[in-house]
């Protein structure tokens, strides 16, 4: 199975509309839909100091230490791409 990542929308009638050309041979396809969800951070900008050291809490001591010492997420990290990579690996796409 070959994987393709395409952009699309759901219209008012509830139909999936692919918003870019599809260059695939005719035949059956399996569709996996990932809905884009705006994160709270995009609507609520943080100051530079808040982004550098996020506060992560846990009641489990070993997890608390792990989270406190974990490196920050890189600025170019794309959660949608990570989700897609996970799906490709899980379903062997």
């Amino acid at each position: 199975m070959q994987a393709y990542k395409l952009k699309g929308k759901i219209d008012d009638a509830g139909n999936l509309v692919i918003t870019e050309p599809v260059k695939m041979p005719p035949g059956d396809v399996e569709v996996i839909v990932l809905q884009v969800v705006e994160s709270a951070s995009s609507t609520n900008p943080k100051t530079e100091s808040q982004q550098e050291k996020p506060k992560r809490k846990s009641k489990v001591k070993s997890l608390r230490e792990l989270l406190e010492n974990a490196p920050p997420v890189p600025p170019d990290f794309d959660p949608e791409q990570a989700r897609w990579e996970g799906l490709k690996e899980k379903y062997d796409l």
Side-chain angles (χ1 to χ4, degrees), residues 52-91:
E52 288 177 13
K53 188 70 174 173
K55 297 190 179 199
R56 301 172 182 163
K57 296 181 181 180
S58 175
K59 291 182 181 180
V60 179
K61 183 179 178 182
S62 59
L63 286 177
R64 183 174 44 238
E65 291 171 0
L66 177 68
L67 292 172
E68 287 173 355
N69 298 323
V73 176
D76 63 342
F77 177 74
D78 181 9
E80 294 298 321
Q81 182 64 28
R83 193 174 291 140
W84 176 244
E85 295 296 326
L87 284 170
K88 286 195 308 189
E89 183 178 327
K90 181 177 180 179
Y91 294 105

Side-chain angles (χ1 to χ4, degrees), residues 6-8 14 16 32 37-38 54 57 60 65 79 89 91-92:
L6 306 167
K7 299 285 183 186
L16 173 63
I32 298 173
V37 178
E38 292 185 29
K57 296 181 181 180
V60 179
E65 291 171 0
E89 183 178 327
Y91 294 105
D92 195 27

Side-chain angles (χ1 to χ4, degrees), residues 40-41 44-56 72-73:
S41 63
N44 196 4
K46 296 181 179 180
T47 62
E48 194 83 27
S49 62
Q50 289 174 329
Q51 290 177 347
E52 288 177 13
K53 188 70 174 173
K55 297 190 179 199
R56 301 172 182 163
V73 176

Side-chain angles (χ1 to χ4, degrees), residues 8-47:
K9 297 190 221 188
I10 305 296
D11 65 12
D12 294 333
N15 296 314
L16 173 63
V17 179
I18 304 298
T19 58
E20 58 187 62
V22 180
K23 296 178 182 169
M24 290 189 266
D28 294 335
V29 296
E30 181 177 337
V31 179
I32 298 173
V33 178
L34 303 173
Q35 184 178 17
V36 177
V37 178
E38 292 185 29
S39 64
S41 63
S42 65
T43 59
N44 196 4
K46 296 181 179 180
T47 62

